[in-house]
Amino acid sequence: MNRAGREAAARRIVEQSPPRVPPEVYADAVRRGGRLLRRRAAARRALWLLLCAAVVAFTVWALTVEPWVEPPSETTPPVTGWEGW
């Protein structure tokens, strides 16, 4: 088939009316699409809940451990007996 024949065949395919979709296929597609949207929404809610739980856990940990405070030095003992000088 030459180029003109291929172009003519492509035009015939494009100009044809699309085949009719059976009603049961449409109903199945709508049902599956709704299920997909519900799953995505549930996954999104679960991820937001996980993120919020992680933020709360980090906040509680930071408030109890206080990592920004410098720990006391343990290399030298406290100096005592110098009050009189």
Side-chain angles (χ1 to χ4, degrees), residues 2 15 18 27 29 34 37 40 43 46 48 56 58 64 66 70 74 82:
N2 58 8
E15 290 171 356
L37 289 175
R40 284 184 182 172
W48 275 111
V56 168
F58 176 77
T64 56
E66 296 181 355
E70 186 176 337
E74 298 177 1
W82 291 84

Side-chain angles (χ1 to χ4, degrees), residues 33-80:
R35 185 175 13 180
L36 181 65
L37 289 175
R38 285 190 302 275
R39 284 182 183 173
R40 284 184 182 172
R44 197 172 18 252
R45 277 190 219 108
L47 287 176
W48 275 111
L49 182 64
L50 181 65
L51 178 67
C52 290
V55 166
V56 168
F58 176 77
T59 304
V60 169
W61 170 80
L63 290 174
T64 56
V65 174
E66 296 181 355
W68 56 86
V69 175
E70 186 176 337
S73 176
E74 298 177 1
T75 57
T76 58
V79 178
T80 57

Side-chain angles (χ1 to χ4, degrees), residues 4-23:
R6 286 185 300 212
E7 287 179 2
R11 281 195 188 97
R12 277 192 307 271
I13 291 172
V14 169
E15 290 171 356
Q16 289 176 352
S17 65
R20 298 199 40 94
V21 178

